[in-house]
Amino acid sequence: MNISRINIGNGIYLNKVITDKFKSNFISINLIRPLDRSEVTKNSLLSYVLGRGTSSLPSKAVLERKLEELYGAHLSVNINKRGERQILRVSMEWADSRFTKDDTYEKSVLEVFRDIMFYPDLKDGLFGESIVEGEKKNLINRIEAKVNDKRTLALNRCIEEMCKGETFSIYQLGYVEDVKSITNTSLTDHYRGILQNSHMEIVYVGVENPSIREDLIPQEYLNRKDVLIVPREIIPKDNFTKNHIVEREDITQGKLVVGYRSNIPYEDGLYSALLLGNEILGGGPNSKLFKDVREKNSLAYYVGTNLIKHKSIILLDAGIDINNYQKTMGLINEMFEDMKNGNFSDDDIEIAKKAIKTSSQSIIDSPHLMGEFTLGKVISKDNRSLEEMIEDIEKVSKEDIIKAMNTVTLDTIYFMTSKEVEQGETN
Amino acid sequence: MKRISNATLNEEIYFENLENGIKLFYFPKKDFTKKYAIFTTNYGSIHNRFKVKEDGELITLPEGIAHFLEHKLFEDEEDDIFTKFAHNGAFVNAFTNFNQTSYLFYSTDNFYENLDLLVNFVQNPYLTDENVEKEKGIIAQEIEMYLDNPKWRVFFNCLKGLYHNHPVRTDIAGTVGSIKEITKEDLLRAYNTFYHPSNMVLFVVGDLDMNRVLETVRNAGKEYEPVDDTPVVVFDNEPTTVNERLIEDYMSTSKPLFYLGIKDNDLGQRGEEAIKKDITTNIILDMLFSDSSDFYHKLYDQGLIDKSFGAYYTGKENYGHSFIIGQTHDPKLLSALILDVFKDYNQFINEDNFSRIKKKEIGQFLMGFNSIEFIANNLTDLYFQDFLLIDYLDVLNSIEFGDVEDRLGSHFKEEFSTLSIIWPNNGNDLNREGDK
């Protein structure tokens, strides 16, 4: 596996991971935008509109038929949220010609990939009006569909309340009320604007291919003047607001989300200890929460925590009987205090270290994960290799974990409960 | 071990029927860091009425028993199973579906120790009245989680509409009521009937030493008496008609969700014949409804469907169905338009879209081989249908346009269809934009 990174234009980088162990190749181009209410909905809509065709494949049907001919090359145009960044991404994965025994199509795959981002289907220099209006409806439907998945809805609601006033609270797919005012003209202007000033990262994972080089980017973008660099997120140092929110929905099971903050940024040496503390507390079936809330007290099927890297936020989520809220919250608080007081064993630490090591080592077995990992390193300006990251985890002591967990403070409790009134506490 | 290879795919697989009864397959995946093993019994949610032998008494166990047993095998007298695997840096898990229960793990180090653990915990249940009771609260929460999931509900309502008697209409985890009845004795009865190695298969995938894999499984496996009788699962006669043509329900969703199911009445195939039918049916559904089809674009432009629209076929020896699914503001109109396609399908299919879809299937199958989980899980699923995954491309290549025409005429009939709809209920007063 040979990893390289080269600058191919102002604010444009090509990251290559050369390997022949996969049956396919993967490439993505990522436009890194600030997560900003004034453009979040436009970028989201662009991910729908760009997928509708290119100048040489000027309709969705023609485009999809072409992709089928390219052995089902998988094209995706989507939006990702990384901390307080919104990433507009075009990606393509295709079967390698060694296995299809057909060497005629890979050039076309790369052309389609390039055209989706840089040569869309325009009429008189604009995105078609009916296309934009149609995709506006689709985007509204997609945003409104977030109520269908109550577990994810509860997570998003907790972040919205917890980070109210912070950029991070912005929903990455945008807002229904902002969709309405977008026109094909304003969307085209925005599109041209972001091509002119976005930091772009191309990531390729696959066999050596001489066509993967600077001409993936049209000449006119190679010498851009002002490239927007998104600043690092702010990690509040103290004065946390305490929120306690209860909302009623038409549901059977209660969805509990608890948000905590640490003031250790990911650049800090102690961050590895925070990662381990999170793993011991709620990382998997061997965590304290799983063992206590689920296995010992039978209160939940799923219960666990997640550390949001760019904001140093820990989010806990659990699905529980609506009548068991007090009891569950009591146990969660106990587990947390245990972490702060060092009530966990060397064995817990060893197990957590091994879990993180196995997950990290597995990254190199997937073209997608390898691509994500490469981009993630660039965004967080982390020059360590996978091996170095694992070494840093292995060096962490129990004292480090206690110290890290003592920076963690409860911020927001969010509970989505049923519309029926609780019957009081049962066991 | 016996070597089976496939030239088209350039992959090989090794097989051994061990003295302890375990059927072991090893699939080498060179240069992969992750190693994966999956140990499966041919026992899922549809197998809860059975006779231990041909002339034995008919036993019916509570709904959700196979899934309950899956949870309980993770109990151990001393240390829990999760901890044992975690000590070796392995991730262990399990799942139950209609047809099988699988126990699996992946790891990068200590693979052989983990493999030994896997075989041992599956072959040595530790059940007590107390630990069975304790699990009921956890599984009740799992069931309630699914009750809040509109996509799961619209799917199961469709199965309930398609089938009169077949147990595929029953929720895999059972109901909060049915799992309350489950006892230690029920679980042991299910275990003793269906967890004999003759009813199981073990797949191992990764960059490994074949002889060590073989030795590990040989030494880990318990001694079992060979059985003369294999359990007989009893299915009631299932009529060719559907149970209900329309099932409507209400949940808190943003738009109506629908599943249009079409019951397959051409059943009984195994092996290559079954796989060929499966692939052919999925090619047809892609030709008619995928995002390259005329139908898709006409309705997409009208705003009747969106990216959630899709279609697939799934089936086994004694049941099968095609689903066309998605969200739409008018599910009844959309369903009528879909059924119209089946009445006059000739205008939607031709040699050209057939060969394109076939090419797509080839590429996507190849891409699946990047994932050791994809390989092992599909190997297992197809094994129980008497088919080896590595021959899949050959069957795919052998399908011709004529096969598509034959299958279209026989399977896709309006009278075998069920429409399941989840309508949004009103009165949802949650402020969702967070601008409060």
Coordinates of all heavy atoms in Angstrom, one line a residue, chain A residues 354-411:
Chain A
K354 N -7.5 -2.9 22.8 CA -7.6 -3.9 21.7 C -8.7 -3.6 20.7 O -8.6 -3.8 19.5 CB -7.7 -5.3 22.3 CG -6.4 -5.8 22.9 CD -6.6 -7.2 23.5 CE -5.2 -7.7 24.1 NZ -5.4 -8.7 25.1
A355 N -9.9 -3.2 21.3 CA -11.0 -2.9 20.4 C -10.7 -1.8 19.4 O -10.9 -1.9 18.2 CB -12.2 -2.5 21.2
I356 N -10.0 -0.7 19.9 CA -9.7 0.4 19.0 C -8.6 -0.1 18.0 O -8.7 0.3 16.9 CB -9.2 1.6 19.9 CG1 -10.4 2.2 20.7 CG2 -8.6 2.7 19.0 CD1 -10.0 3.3 21.6
K357 N -7.7 -0.9 18.5 CA -6.7 -1.4 17.6 C -7.3 -2.2 16.5 O -6.9 -2.0 15.3 CB -5.7 -2.2 18.4 CG -4.5 -2.7 17.6 CD -3.5 -3.5 18.5 CE -2.4 -4.1 17.6 NZ -1.7 -5.1 18.4
T358 N -8.2 -3.1 16.8 CA -8.8 -4.0 15.8 C -9.6 -3.1 14.7 O -9.4 -3.3 13.5 CB -9.7 -5.0 16.4 OG1 -9.0 -5.8 17.3 CG2 -10.3 -6.0 15.3
S359 N -10.4 -2.2 15.3 CA -11.1 -1.3 14.3 C -10.2 -0.5 13.4 O -10.4 -0.4 12.2 CB -12.0 -0.3 15.1 OG -12.8 -1.0 16.0
S360 N -9.1 0.0 14.0 CA -8.2 0.8 13.2 C -7.5 -0.1 12.1 O -7.4 0.3 11.0 CB -7.1 1.4 14.1 OG -7.7 2.1 15.2
Q361 N -7.1 -1.3 12.5 CA -6.4 -2.1 11.6 C -7.3 -2.6 10.4 O -6.8 -2.8 9.3 CB -5.8 -3.3 12.3 CG -4.6 -3.0 13.1 CD -4.2 -4.2 14.0 OE1 -4.9 -5.1 14.3 NE2 -2.9 -4.3 14.3
S362 N -8.6 -2.6 10.7 CA -9.6 -3.1 9.7 C -9.8 -2.1 8.6 O -10.3 -2.4 7.6 CB -10.9 -3.4 10.4 OG -10.7 -4.4 11.4
I363 N -9.4 -0.8 8.9 CA -9.7 0.3 7.9 C -9.1 -0.1 6.6 O -9.7 0.2 5.5 CB -9.1 1.6 8.5 CG1 -10.0 2.1 9.6 CG2 -9.0 2.7 7.4 CD1 -9.4 3.3 10.4
I364 N -7.9 -0.7 6.6 CA -7.2 -0.9 5.3 C -7.8 -2.0 4.5 O -7.3 -2.3 3.4 CB -5.7 -1.2 5.5 CG1 -5.4 -2.4 6.4 CG2 -5.0 0.1 6.1 CD1 -4.0 -2.8 6.4
D365 N -8.8 -2.7 5.0 CA -9.5 -3.7 4.2 C -10.7 -3.2 3.4 O -11.4 -4.0 2.8 CB -10.0 -4.9 5.2 CG -8.9 -5.7 5.6 OD1 -7.7 -5.6 5.1 OD2 -9.1 -6.5 6.6
S366 N -11.0 -1.9 3.5 CA -12.1 -1.4 2.8 C -11.7 -0.1 2.0 O -11.2 0.8 2.6 CB -13.2 -1.1 3.8 OG -14.1 -0.1 3.3
P367 N -12.0 -0.1 0.7 CA -11.6 1.1 0.0 C -12.4 2.4 0.5 O -11.8 3.4 0.6 CB -12.1 0.8 -1.5 CG -12.5 -0.6 -1.5 CD -12.6 -1.1 -0.1
H368 N -13.6 2.2 1.0 CA -14.3 3.3 1.5 C -13.7 3.8 2.8 O -13.5 5.0 3.0 CB -15.8 2.9 1.8 CG -16.6 2.7 0.5 ND1 -17.2 3.6 -0.2 CD2 -16.7 1.5 -0.2 CE1 -17.8 3.1 -1.2 NE2 -17.5 1.8 -1.3
L369 N -13.5 2.9 3.7 CA -12.9 3.3 5.0 C -11.5 4.0 4.8 O -11.2 4.9 5.5 CB -12.8 2.1 6.0 CG -14.2 1.6 6.5 CD1 -13.9 0.4 7.4 CD2 -15.0 2.7 7.2
M370 N -10.8 3.4 3.9 CA -9.4 3.9 3.6 C -9.5 5.4 3.1 O -8.8 6.2 3.4 CB -8.7 3.0 2.6 CG -7.2 3.1 2.6 SD -6.5 2.8 4.3 CE -5.1 3.9 4.1
G371 N -10.5 5.6 2.2 CA -10.8 6.9 1.7 C -11.2 7.9 2.8 O -10.7 9.0 2.9
E372 N -12.1 7.4 3.7 CA -12.6 8.3 4.8 C -11.4 8.6 5.7 O -11.3 9.8 6.2 CB -13.7 7.5 5.6 CG -15.0 7.5 4.9 CD -15.6 8.9 4.8 OE1 -15.9 9.6 5.8 OE2 -15.7 9.4 3.6
F373 N -10.6 7.6 6.0 CA -9.5 7.8 6.9 C -8.5 8.8 6.3 O -8.0 9.7 7.0 CB -8.8 6.4 7.1 CG -7.5 6.5 7.9 CD1 -7.6 6.7 9.3 CD2 -6.3 6.3 7.3 CE1 -6.5 6.8 10.1 CE2 -5.1 6.4 8.1 CZ -5.2 6.6 9.5
T374 N -8.2 8.7 5.0 CA -7.3 9.6 4.4 C -7.8 11.1 4.4 O -7.1 12.0 4.8 CB -7.1 9.2 2.9 OG1 -6.7 7.8 2.9 CG2 -6.0 10.0 2.2
L375 N -9.1 11.2 4.1 CA -9.7 12.6 4.2 C -9.7 13.1 5.6 O -9.4 14.3 5.8 CB -11.1 12.5 3.6 CG -11.8 13.8 3.5 CD1 -11.2 14.8 2.5 CD2 -13.3 13.6 3.1
G376 N -10.1 12.3 6.5 CA -10.2 12.7 7.9 C -8.8 13.2 8.4 O -8.8 14.2 9.2
K377 N -7.7 12.5 8.0 CA -6.4 13.0 8.5 C -6.1 14.4 7.9 O -5.5 15.2 8.6 CB -5.3 12.0 7.9 CG -5.1 10.9 8.9 CD -4.1 9.8 8.4 CE -3.0 10.4 7.6 NZ -1.7 9.7 7.8
V378 N -6.5 14.6 6.7 CA -6.2 15.9 6.0 C -7.0 17.0 6.7 O -6.4 18.0 7.1 CB -6.6 15.8 4.5 CG1 -6.6 17.2 3.9 CG2 -5.7 14.9 3.8
I379 N -8.2 16.7 7.0 CA -9.1 17.7 7.6 C -8.6 18.1 9.0 O -8.6 19.2 9.4 CB -10.6 17.3 7.7 CG1 -11.1 17.3 6.2 CG2 -11.4 18.1 8.6 CD1 -12.5 16.8 6.1
S380 N -8.2 17.1 9.8 CA -7.7 17.4 11.2 C -6.2 17.6 11.2 O -5.6 17.7 12.3 CB -8.1 16.3 12.1 OG -7.7 15.0 11.6
K381 N -5.6 17.8 10.1 CA -4.1 18.1 10.0 C -3.3 17.1 10.8 O -2.4 17.5 11.6 CB -3.8 19.5 10.4 CG -4.5 20.5 9.5 CD -3.9 21.9 9.8 CE -4.5 23.0 8.9 NZ -5.9 23.4 9.2
D382 N -3.7 15.8 10.7 CA -3.0 14.8 11.6 C -2.1 14.0 10.6 O -2.5 13.3 9.7 CB -4.1 13.9 12.1 CG -3.6 12.9 13.2 OD1 -2.4 12.7 13.2 OD2 -4.4 12.4 13.9
N383 N -0.8 14.1 10.9 CA 0.2 13.5 10.0 C 0.5 12.1 10.4 O 1.4 11.4 9.8 CB 1.4 14.3 9.9 CG 1.1 15.6 9.2 OD1 0.4 15.7 8.3 ND2 1.7 16.7 9.7
R384 N 0.0 11.6 11.5 CA 0.3 10.3 12.0 C -0.2 9.2 11.1 O -1.2 9.3 10.5 CB -0.3 10.0 13.4 CG 0.3 11.0 14.5 CD -0.4 10.7 15.8 NE -1.9 11.0 15.7 CZ -2.8 10.6 16.6 NH1 -2.4 9.9 17.7 NH2 -4.0 10.9 16.4
S385 N 0.6 8.1 11.0 CA 0.1 6.9 10.3 C -0.8 6.2 11.2 O -0.9 6.4 12.4 CB 1.3 6.0 9.9 OG 1.9 5.5 11.0
L386 N -1.5 5.2 10.6 CA -2.4 4.3 11.4 C -1.6 3.7 12.5 O -2.1 3.6 13.6 CB -2.9 3.2 10.4 CG -4.3 2.6 10.7 CD1 -5.3 3.6 11.0 CD2 -4.7 1.7 9.5
E387 N -0.4 3.2 12.2 CA 0.4 2.5 13.2 C 0.7 3.5 14.4 O 0.7 3.1 15.6 CB 1.7 2.0 12.6 CG 1.6 0.8 11.6 CD 1.0 1.3 10.3 OE1 1.2 2.5 9.9 OE2 0.3 0.4 9.6
E388 N 1.1 4.7 14.0 CA 1.4 5.7 15.1 C 0.2 6.0 16.0 O 0.3 6.2 17.2 CB 2.0 7.0 14.4 CG 3.4 6.8 13.9 CD 3.8 7.9 13.0 OE1 3.0 8.6 12.3 OE2 5.1 8.1 12.9
M389 N -1.0 6.1 15.3 CA -2.2 6.3 16.1 C -2.4 5.2 17.1 O -2.8 5.4 18.2 CB -3.4 6.5 15.2 CG -3.4 7.7 14.4 SD -4.8 7.8 13.3 CE -4.4 9.2 12.3
I390 N -2.2 4.0 16.6 CA -2.4 2.8 17.5 C -1.4 2.9 18.6 O -1.7 2.6 19.8 CB -2.3 1.5 16.7 CG1 -3.5 1.4 15.7 CG2 -2.3 0.3 17.6 CD1 -3.4 0.3 14.7
E391 N -0.1 3.2 18.3 CA 0.9 3.3 19.4 C 0.5 4.4 20.4 O 0.7 4.1 21.6 CB 2.2 3.8 18.8 CG 3.0 2.6 18.2 CD 4.2 3.1 17.4 OE1 4.8 4.2 17.8 OE2 4.6 2.4 16.4
D392 N -0.1 5.5 20.0 CA -0.5 6.5 20.9 C -1.6 6.0 21.9 O -1.6 6.4 23.0 CB -1.0 7.8 20.2 CG 0.2 8.6 19.6 OD1 1.3 8.3 20.0 OD2 0.0 9.4 18.7
I393 N -2.5 5.2 21.3 CA -3.5 4.6 22.2 C -2.9 3.7 23.2 O -3.3 3.7 24.4 CB -4.5 3.8 21.3 CG1 -5.4 4.8 20.4 CG2 -5.4 2.9 22.1 CD1 -6.4 5.6 21.1
E394 N -1.9 2.9 22.7 CA -1.4 1.9 23.6 C -0.6 2.5 24.8 O -0.4 1.9 25.8 CB -0.5 0.9 22.8 CG -1.4 -0.1 22.1 CD -0.8 -1.1 21.2 OE1 0.4 -0.9 20.9 OE2 -1.4 -2.1 20.9
K395 N -0.1 3.7 24.6 CA 0.7 4.4 25.6 C -0.1 5.0 26.8 O 0.4 5.3 27.8 CB 1.5 5.5 25.0 CG 2.8 5.1 24.4 CD 3.6 6.3 23.9 CE 3.1 6.8 22.6 NZ 4.0 7.8 21.9
V396 N -1.5 5.0 26.6 CA -2.3 5.7 27.6 C -2.4 5.0 28.9 O -2.5 3.7 28.9 CB -3.7 5.9 27.0 CG1 -4.7 6.4 28.0 CG2 -3.7 6.8 25.8
S397 N -2.2 5.7 30.0 CA -2.3 5.1 31.3 C -3.7 5.3 32.0 O -4.5 6.1 31.5 CB -1.2 5.7 32.2 OG -1.6 7.0 32.5
K398 N -3.9 4.6 33.0 CA -5.2 4.7 33.8 C -5.3 6.2 34.3 O -6.4 6.8 34.2 CB -5.2 3.8 34.9 CG -6.5 3.8 35.7 CD -6.7 2.7 36.7 CE -8.1 2.8 37.4 NZ -8.3 1.7 38.3
E399 N -4.2 6.7 34.8 CA -4.3 8.1 35.3 C -4.7 9.1 34.1 O -5.5 10.0 34.4 CB -2.9 8.6 35.8 CG -2.5 7.9 37.1 CD -2.4 6.4 37.1 OE1 -1.8 5.9 36.1 OE2 -2.8 5.7 38.0
D400 N -4.2 8.9 32.9 CA -4.6 9.7 31.8 C -6.1 9.6 31.6 O -6.8 10.7 31.3 CB -3.9 9.2 30.5 CG -2.4 9.4 30.5 OD1 -1.9 10.3 31.3 OD2 -1.7 8.7 29.8
I401 N -6.6 8.4 31.6 CA -8.1 8.3 31.4 C -8.9 9.0 32.4 O -9.9 9.7 32.1 CB -8.5 6.8 31.3 CG1 -7.7 6.1 30.2 CG2 -10.0 6.6 31.1 CD1 -7.8 4.6 30.1
I402 N -8.5 8.8 33.7 CA -9.2 9.5 34.8 C -9.1 11.0 34.6 O -10.2 11.7 34.7 CB -8.6 9.1 36.2 CG1 -8.8 7.6 36.4 CG2 -9.2 9.9 37.3 CD1 -8.0 7.1 37.6
K403 N -8.0 11.5 34.2 CA -7.8 12.9 34.0 C -8.7 13.4 32.9 O -9.4 14.4 33.0 CB -6.3 13.2 33.6 CG -5.9 14.6 33.8 CD -4.4 14.7 33.6 CE -4.0 16.1 33.3 NZ -2.6 16.2 32.7
A404 N -8.7 12.6 31.8 CA -9.5 13.0 30.6 C -11.0 13.0 31.0 O -11.8 13.9 30.6 CB -9.3 12.0 29.5
M405 N -11.5 11.9 31.7 CA -12.9 11.8 32.0 C -13.3 12.9 33.0 O -14.5 13.3 33.0 CB -13.2 10.4 32.6 CG -13.1 9.3 31.5 SD -14.0 9.7 30.0 CE -15.7 9.4 30.4
N406 N -12.4 13.4 33.8 CA -12.7 14.5 34.7 C -12.9 15.8 34.0 O -13.4 16.8 34.6 CB -11.7 14.6 35.8 CG -12.1 13.6 37.0 OD1 -13.1 13.8 37.7 ND2 -11.4 12.5 37.1
T407 N -12.6 15.9 32.7 CA -12.9 17.1 31.9 C -14.3 17.0 31.4 O -14.8 18.0 30.8 CB -11.9 17.3 30.8 OG1 -12.2 16.3 29.8 CG2 -10.5 17.3 31.2
V408 N -15.0 15.9 31.5 CA -16.3 15.7 30.8 C -17.4 16.1 31.7 O -17.5 15.7 32.9 CB -16.4 14.2 30.5 CG1 -17.8 14.0 29.8 CG2 -15.3 13.7 29.5
T409 N -18.3 17.0 31.2 CA -19.4 17.5 32.0 C -20.7 17.2 31.3 O -20.8 17.4 30.1 CB -19.3 19.1 32.1 OG1 -17.9 19.4 32.2 CG2 -20.0 19.6 33.3
L410 N -21.7 16.9 32.1 CA -23.1 16.7 31.5 C -23.6 18.1 31.0 O -23.5 19.1 31.7 CB -24.0 16.2 32.6 CG -25.5 16.0 32.2 CD1 -25.7 15.1 31.1 CD2 -26.3 15.6 33.4
D411 N -24.1 18.1 29.8 CA -24.6 19.3 29.2 C -26.1 19.2 29.0 O -26.9 20.0 29.6 CB -23.9 19.6 27.9 CG -24.4 20.9 27.3 OD1 -25.6 21.1 27.1 OD2 -23.5 21.8 27.0

